[in-house]
Amino acid sequence: MIKLDNVTLTYPSGKGIFDIRFEVKEGTVMGYLGPNGAGKTTTIRALLGFMKPDSGSCSVIGRDCWTDPVSIQRSLGYIPGEISFPDGMNGDEFLDFLSEMRGSKDLSKRKDLLDMLELDPKGRIRKFSKGMKQKLGIVAALMHDPDILVLDEPTSGLDPLMQKRFVELILDEKRKGKTILLSSHIFEEVEKTCDEVIIIKDGRIVMFSDSASLRNSRRKAYQIRTGNNSEAVSLLVSAGFEIDGGRNDAENGVITVYVKGEDVDRFVKTIASFEVVDIDLKTQSLEDVFLSLYARDAERVVK
Amino acid sequence: MNLILLKTTFKKNWILMLIFIGVLVMYLAVMVAMFDPEDMNALNEMISIFPEELMKAFGFSSLVTDLTAYLASWLYGMLMTALPVVYCIILGNRLVAKMVDNGSLAYLLSTPVSRVKIILTQGLYAILSVISMFGILTLFGVLICEISFSGHLDVRAFVQLNITTALVNILAIMIAFFFSCLFNESGLSSGSSSGVLIGFLLMNMIGGSSEQLEILKKLSIYGMYDPVEIVRGAQTIWLNTGLFIASLILLVVSVLVFKRKQLPI
């Protein structure tokens, strides 16, 4: 549904995105992570047809984003990273205006969204708080029930309760089969909603995580060494634990076992029945990768 | 062209238009009130006190004796272009560059309406608002003159004068609109349009004050015609056509520039 083919888009300053290539398949939620200034918004500008790539091409529902943005916009909902509304408008006027421009008559979803986010759109937008503006942006992007959502840091400015509610909203849309590109800083919301994750840094994709590795990151991985590996593996498998590489792969004498939060107790009791030489918690979650990227970035700034 | 956008643009900008119409109508009323058909000679004598160059710079001709030429000289010689310049700069900037600068254009572009349609609508609003401004001004002019000095105003000549003045101001707002489409920053857009349009006004003034510098007046969009000559029956069809075509070309160029440009919003 959303496809970028070796897209390079640079600004006069030399920053930009380079050779970005990924695809968001129909019905999947793609997380798009990266530190500030990594190129997330630039990618989205290319997708929305605001900027033309220097080379490469991007398309949504098979239409080129630069030459044919109009037919894309009909089925696309967009939350800008830095939301700015037209001057001098009331919140409900703005929503009416967008509905008219889109030619959408059905107002039921708009009402549901306003209720869900507890937003009263009356009054001047200029007087709205940051959070209210963000909520208005969310309603504006979702109220015409588009098939594709491009969300650029959609929860910035929302309080934790509303962030949680937003995650529910995305999960709802996901269940309806929507295709979503979610650019975000907040690891938790990506972890809860996304099937696949891309991490971008300095304009280049540095990590791609498919659904399987993402699922693994939601569980803890314990590495154990035992006196008798084959016996230990048999016991663990029969207790229903997933072992990295399956039954036969216990090289170096290390067994990696994935354990969900609620199974920790059962895991400990299972391994108590054989000799454990060493136990270690493997820290290879997506959050760690993400954080290490941030940290490297911060180090460079300090230097 | 998109009617919904046109309506919204009107809602956002009609107060600005109203303010300028108010000021222009006020000036018109004051100038008519100061007219004394019995005593035009007194006025002409007063003008002769001032240096001729100064009066010419402001577009005042000393040989007016009737109400229509009096208005053409005292009002349309300078005020009816100098005041709307401010309107052109403010509105031109608001219609495009300001929305790019603050990012609110992203919302317009995220609807299924093309860039070309959006910019054409904004440009059309600019033109329509100048036409309305001078339309209302003409109506008020005729009305005020009929109430104060019934029969003195040559309505046909006055309408001709307003048509040409409106066309000049349309060209001015299209210049401002072009810069608004060209630049992504509000400051650059309004700076360039102020520079060019105020430059044209000054060229017209300086060129009018001295024979040697007359070329400056001829090069300015405001110096291409003499309001007093128009009310005395000068042919305006070619000038009007030229102004119209120039505005149209600027509108088309603005649309093309905007269609192709990179928008960091």
Side-chain angles (χ1 to χ4, degrees):
Chain A
M1 293 291 264
I2 301 175
K3 200 171 174 204
L4 286 97
D5 257 331
N6 298 79
V7 172
T8 297
L9 205 173
T10 48
Y11 295 105
S13 66
K15 290 189 89 179
I17 51 173
F18 307 93
D19 236 10
I20 297 288
R21 183 178 181 181
F22 67 84
E23 190 180 348
V24 189
K25 295 203 177 65
E26 187 168 355
T28 53
V29 183
M30 171 79 85
Y32 201 46
L33 294 172
N36 292 322
K40 300 190 293 288
T41 301
T42 308
T43 312
I44 285 166
R45 280 173 184 159
L47 280 176
L48 266 286
F50 298 162
M51 295 186 95
K52 183 178 189 256
D54 304 337
S55 64
S57 67
C58 45
S59 64
V60 175
I61 48 170
R63 319 249 180 178
D64 187 87
C65 297
W66 177 254
T67 55
D68 195 9
V70 172
S71 47
I72 295 173
Q73 306 295 12
R74 273 179 229 289
S75 41
L76 188 135
Y78 166 56
I79 300 181
E82 237 175 82
I83 298 194
S84 168
F85 299 100
D87 312 313
M89 265 191 171
N90 287 347
D92 38 5
E93 265 174 18
F94 172 70
L95 295 177
D96 288 342
F97 169 64
L98 274 189
S99 296
E100 283 183 59
M101 289 287 277
R102 287 168 177 153
S104 51
K105 306 236 157 38
D106 187 6
L107 296 179
S108 57
K109 178 131 189 187
R110 164 173 161 184
K111 201 184 159 296
D112 292 346
L113 287 164
L114 289 172
D115 289 345
M116 184 173 186
L117 295 170
E118 295 170 20
L119 176 68
D120 176 17
K122 292 192 178 58
R124 295 258 146 191
I125 299 177
R126 202 145 39 98
K127 309 266 187 225
F128 281 18
S129 70
K130 171 93 178 81
M132 282 171 81
K133 285 182 185 163
Q134 196 66 33
K135 288 177 184 177
L136 188 65
I138 295 170
V139 176
L142 292 166
M143 65 179 180
H144 57 305
D145 206 16
D147 293 334
I148 300 159
L149 293 169
V150 175
L151 314 173
D152 195 355
E153 295 180 21
T155 54
S156 68
L158 294 186
D159 61 46
L161 179 76
M162 280 302 153
Q163 288 188 4
K164 220 178 135 215
R165 205 161 285 182
F166 180 79
V167 168
E168 284 164 28
L169 191 61
I170 292 300
L171 290 173
D172 248 15
E173 296 295 316
K174 185 178 169 179
R175 270 191 291 277
K176 288 180 201 154
K178 305 293 172 74
T179 308
I180 304 174
L181 180 69
L182 172 70
S183 139
S184 178
H185 272 316
I186 301 165
F187 182 75
E188 204 192 336
E189 84 189 20
V190 172
E191 195 187 35
K192 279 184 187 149
T193 57
C194 295
D195 304 311
E196 296 176 327
V197 166
I198 283 173
I199 296 181
I200 172 179
K201 199 188 157 211
D202 296 331
R204 291 173 199 279
I205 291 178
V206 290
M207 212 198 90
F208 175 82
S209 216
D210 61 9
S211 45
S213 53
L214 199 66
R215 198 172 56 238
N216 285 342
S217 79
R218 282 181 202 150
R219 298 171 298 179
K220 286 195 170 122
Y222 292 93
Q223 292 183 309
I224 52 172
R225 278 200 298 173
T226 68
N228 185 343
N229 270 354
S230 58
E231 190 204 332
V233 168
S234 299
L235 268 168
L236 285 165
V237 170
S238 60
F241 290 105
E242 194 184 323
I243 289 166
D244 200 11
R247 180 182 284 266
N248 302 320
D249 186 35
E251 62 213 48
N252 308 328
V254 177
I255 308 168
T256 305
V257 191
Y258 295 106
V259 181
K260 285 185 202 148
E262 67 263 27
D263 286 341
V264 173
D265 182 61
R266 206 158 57 79
F267 171 68
V268 172
K269 284 175 182 156
T270 309
I271 61 173
S273 62
F274 51 80
E275 187 199 359
V276 177
V277 180
D278 189 19
I279 182 162
D280 203 358
L281 188 61
K282 188 178 168 193
T283 53
Q284 248 310 318
S285 78
L286 195 59
E287 185 169 15
D288 291 307
V289 177
F290 190 49
L291 283 176
S292 74
L293 276 171
Y294 270 61
R296 258 181 275 157
D297 220 43
E299 265 170 42
R300 214 179 41 206
V301 173
V302 171
K303 277 178 203 163
Chain B
M1 234 282 286
N2 182 297
L3 270 178
I4 299 150
L5 178 59
L6 191 70
K7 200 179 77 189
T8 307
T9 305
F10 174 75
K11 263 202 223 157
K12 266 160 63 178
N13 294 296
W14 67 274
I15 292 179
L16 183 73
M17 179 165 74
L18 199 71
I19 291 170
F20 276 86
I21 291 175
V23 171
L24 291 178
V25 167
M26 188 196 75
Y27 267 104
L28 183 83
V30 169
M31 293 312 280
V32 173
M34 279 164 63
F35 177 72
D36 183 351
E38 309 301 316
D39 208 9
M40 277 315 281
N41 287 333
L43 184 71
N44 286 333
E45 268 167 36
M46 191 191 84
I47 293 170
S48 64
I49 298 170
F50 294 101
E52 197 184 345
E53 287 78 13
L54 183 70
M55 287 292 104
K56 272 192 180 163
F58 283 93
F60 301 141
S61 161
S62 57
L63 296 161
V64 296
T65 48
D66 65 293
L67 177 60
T68 320
Y70 162 86
L71 288 178
S73 167
W74 287 86
L75 207 53
Y76 288 77
M78 176 88 187
L79 273 175
M80 288 298 170
T81 45
L83 279 176
V85 156
V86 183
Y87 178 75
C88 293
I89 294 167
I90 297 175
L91 183 71
N93 187 49
R94 268 193 192 185
L95 287 177
V96 188
K98 199 177 165 201
M99 287 201 292
V100 175
D101 201 352
N102 70 21
S104 59
L105 192 78
Y107 269 112
L108 282 184
L109 291 178
S110 72
T111 62
V113 179
S114 71
R115 283 192 190 194
V116 171
K117 271 191 189 165
I118 288 171
I119 291 306
L120 267 181
T121 308
Q122 298 294 79
L124 203 71
Y125 174 79
I127 294 171
L128 288 178
S129 78
V130 173
I131 292 175
S132 324
M133 192 179 262
F134 279 89
I136 292 169
L137 200 70
T138 309
L139 279 179
F140 267 101
V142 172
L143 205 71
I144 293 169
C145 289
E146 283 308 308
I147 291 167
S148 313
F149 305 101
S150 185
H152 273 81
L153 185 76
D154 180 348
V155 176
R156 200 186 139 82
F158 185 66
V159 171
Q160 287 280 358
L161 175 63
N162 274 289
I163 289 174
T164 303
T165 313
L167 283 165
V168 170
N169 282 301
I170 287 174
L171 181 59
I173 204 159
M174 278 300 111
I175 291 173
F177 188 72
F178 168 73
F179 285 122
S180 192
C181 288
L182 183 66
F183 294 117
N184 288 337
E185 278 161 53
S186 193
L188 271 177
S189 145
S190 55
S192 310
S193 54
S194 326
V196 169
L197 292 179
I198 293 172
F200 276 143
L201 274 179
L202 290 175
M203 279 161 70
N204 186 33
M205 283 175 75
I206 296 165
S209 67
S210 129
E211 299 269 311
Q212 287 91 7
L213 296 172
E214 214 189 333
I215 179 78
L216 285 179
K217 188 182 166 82
K218 289 273 182 309
L219 286 173
S220 162
I221 59 166
Y222 298 117
M224 288 186 293
Y225 66 104
D226 181 347
V228 178
E229 291 297 314
I230 290 181
V231 296
R232 284 183 180 148
Q235 184 67 256
T236 56
I237 180 84
W238 293 115
L239 175 67
N240 288 354
T241 313
L243 288 168
F244 178 75
I245 290 173
S247 303
L248 206 64
I249 290 173
L250 270 173
L251 179 63
V252 171
V253 171
S254 304
V255 170
L256 290 179
V257 163
F258 190 82
K259 188 187 168 201
R260 278 156 208 208
K261 86 169 179 178
Q262 301 281 55
L263 289 167
I265 47 177

